[in-house]
Amino acid sequence: MVAGFGRSPGFRVILAAVALVTLTGCSTSEPTSTPPITTAGVAETATVSRVNDGDTLRTTAGRKIRLVQIDAPELRGDCYGKAALAALRRLTPPGARVQLERDPGLDATDRYGRQLRYVFVGNTNVNVALVRQGAASPYFFRGDRGRFAKDFLDAVADARRTNRGYWGACPRARLDLDRGSVTGPP
């Protein structure tokens, strides 16, 4: 170190810039996918133990996970309920390793104590994939729109336009962002 230079304001600015570049990387390219939201700066990894229905699963650690910002038809009484369950099982079969990510702008748990999370398998946002397949609808509880709201709206528009999933199978299906899946009886 040069005498007297280590305490100068210019040196501190250079040191801060080097630290920032080191921490954030030097890449100027755009990311290929939206970086995940994490809890405490770390993505939560879990293993699926079972899929309960089209929008809920349980991990091997016993955590109950409700896929946030979507709603799938109920197993009993709704058209496409069993097919929605099968769709989530295909994406997250028992034994699958998943990333669970909380949206800090939304509730962390629901009134039943289930953790509200986006679920990722690799780079696939399972929540959005289910809507794109027509196995679920966007559900904006209290009108709150999370990080992937636009992706959900684009996915449901695509599913409806192509009659995918329950949009083609359930004649009474309709979009209601405040209620979630409205498919009518089986």
Side-chain angles (χ1 to χ4, degrees), residues 1 11 15 30-31 37 40 43 53 58 66 71 81-82 103 153 161 164 167 169-170 172 177-178:
M1 176 172 5
F11 179 75
L15 184 60
E30 291 294 317
I37 293 176
D53 59 25
R58 186 180 289 261
R66 171 69 161 71
D71 185 55
K82 291 179 183 173
D103 192 326
L153 294 172
R161 183 178 60 255
R164 201 171 307 125
W167 299 109
C170 305
R172 296 185 187 162
L177 301 175
D178 297 322

Side-chain angles (χ1 to χ4, degrees), residues 123-170:
N123 291 327
T124 300
N125 181 328
V126 173
N127 307 46
V128 173
L130 289 169
V131 173
R132 190 168 308 287
Q133 292 176 18
S137 281
Y139 174 44
F140 300 136
F141 183 68
R142 293 188 309 250
D144 293 339
R145 294 187 181 204
R147 177 174 183 219
F148 295 103
K150 182 180 180 333
D151 295 329
F152 289 127
L153 294 172
D154 291 345
V156 75
D158 183 52
R160 291 177 77 196
R161 183 178 60 255
T162 59
N163 288 320
R164 201 171 307 125
Y166 64 67
W167 299 109
C170 305

Side-chain angles (χ1 to χ4, degrees), residues 35-68:
I37 293 176
T38 58
T39 302
V42 179
E44 303 172 75
T45 303
T47 302
V48 175
S49 89
R50 74 182 299 256
V51 175
N52 300 18
D53 59 25
D55 54 29
T56 311
L57 57 85
R58 186 180 289 261
T59 70
T60 55
R63 296 170 65 185
K64 295 176 188 173
I65 307 298
R66 171 69 161 71
L67 280 69
V68 70

Side-chain angles (χ1 to χ4, degrees), residues 13-28:
V13 169
I14 292 169
L15 184 60
V18 169
L20 182 62
V21 169
T22 302
L23 290 173
T24 61
C26 299
S27 174
T28 58

